[in-house]
Structures are given as structure tokens and as C-alpha cells.
Amino acid sequence: MDVFGHVNHAKMVTLLEEARVPLLFDEAAAAGLTGLARGVVVVRLAVDYRAPVVVRGTEVRVEVSLAELAFASFTLDYTVYNGPSTENGVAVEARTVLAPYDVAGGRPRRLSEGEREFLARRLDGGVNA
């Protein structure tokens, strides 16, 4: 929270990360795809603030959808609502470009066909976090 009682911009970026981690790590691993949990890096991040998220002790809704799927990267779009419902109004719209990363080799890698299929199938209608 910042001095005005709003969620600080750095915390908003953390919230975006927390919205995608269960999908990319837990759900992908449950589907037998462990590569994403071993390494994914943020290549680009864009955040557009539409309204402040005021700290009131209530949940916020984060929707995650697949915007683009390439062979060595994928793009996620986020919509953050100022409460648990879409009726609470959009507070933030964001986009991250992510690339799978080979930590041991110290370089980006291509998405496997299974990872591409998982992302396309799982994010087709978006995910609510």
C-alpha cells in the first residue's frame, strides 16, 4: 500500500505474477509439463492503470488470457478488477511477454508442443485468479 491507501505499483506487478504462477507451475506440472516450472522469464511488461486499487480488506479479481502464442514465447493479458466481481470496474490492464528459459544452460528455449497445447487449451477462455 502506498501513502494514499492504494496498492503500490510494485505490489500490482507482484499480484500479476501471483495470478500466473499457479497456472504455469501447478496446473502445467499436474498435466505432466514440468518445463515451465523450471524456468520462465518476463521479456516485457506493460501495465495500464485505469483506477486505483484501494486497500479495503476485500479481494480483487484477476482475469488472465492468452493473447499470443509463438514458438519461443507467449503473451498473457491481465484484467484486474477493483473487487471480486467484474461489476467492480477495471482497475488495471496489463500484458506480459514470457519466454521459457533453460536455467542450467543460461539461455531461452522453445516451448514444447505439449506446453503450447496446454497454454492454448487452458487459456482459451481466460483464467480467473
Side-chain angles (χ1 to χ4, degrees), residues 38-39 100-109:
R38 288 194 307 263
Y101 194 78
D102 176 359
V103 175
R107 64 183 183 280
R109 65 172 181 83

Side-chain angles (χ1 to χ4, degrees), residues 30-69:
L33 304 167
T34 59
L36 293 173
R38 288 194 307 263
V40 173
V41 295
V42 176
V43 176
R44 182 175 185 279
L45 166 68
V47 182
D48 294 317
Y49 297 92
R50 306 291 182 217
V53 176
V54 179
V55 177
R56 296 187 289 256
T58 60
E59 295 180 356
V60 295
R61 178 185 183 98
V62 181
E63 295 179 352
V64 183
S65 60
L66 183 64
E68 295 178 31
L69 181 58

